[in-house]
Amino acid sequence: MKAKILKGFVLGIVANAIGTFLYIYFFSDHTFEYVIEKGVEQGFIGSLIGLGALLNLLLFFFFLTQKVGKFQKPLQVYEARGVIMATLLAAFAVLYFEF
């Protein structure tokens, strides 16, 4: 059980990082490193983390879906709990960087 929650937590953190990278890649003209550096300097890094957390929503509902197309899969509620914990960590990071 703890391993499943940890798996969901790690996947949630990775999904958040990928979401942040994709947002910067598609909606910025600058490099990833430059945007992160300026985000820390100018105080909008919390917004980038929050936008990256939107990808956790897809991961959460993937774990709670039994039927994917024609395929049946078991519910993965413990992994979904881990994703929720990663999303809460992202929310606390946003609060820390914004206030």
Side-chain angles (χ1 to χ4, degrees):
M1 176 174 76
K2 290 181 183 179
K4 291 181 180 183
I5 293 174
L6 181 64
K7 173 186 167 186
F9 182 76
V10 169
L11 286 174
I13 296 295
V14 169
N16 196 341
I18 291 172
T20 303
F21 176 77
L22 289 175
Y23 176 75
I24 292 171
Y25 180 77
F26 285 116
F27 296 107
S28 177
D29 297 332
H30 302 289
T31 63
F32 180 75
E33 294 85 11
Y34 179 79
V35 173
I36 294 296
E37 182 180 307
K38 288 298 178 184
V40 171
E41 286 177 9
Q42 298 176 4
F44 63 86
I45 190 74
S47 301
L48 292 174
I49 294 171
L51 287 168
L54 288 176
L55 202 57
N56 284 354
L57 185 67
L58 295 174
L59 188 61
F60 176 74
F61 283 115
F62 173 77
F63 284 137
L64 292 181
T65 303
Q66 281 187 328
K67 194 171 186 179
V68 179
K70 296 179 183 177
F71 304 104
Q72 288 285 116
K73 69 175 193 67
L75 285 178
Q76 297 171 316
V77 292
Y78 292 113
E79 287 87 348
R81 288 181 189 178
V83 172
I84 290 293
M85 290 170 57
T87 305
L88 286 173
L89 179 66
F92 288 134
V94 169
L95 282 173
Y96 175 77
F97 286 116
E98 291 294 324
F99 297 107

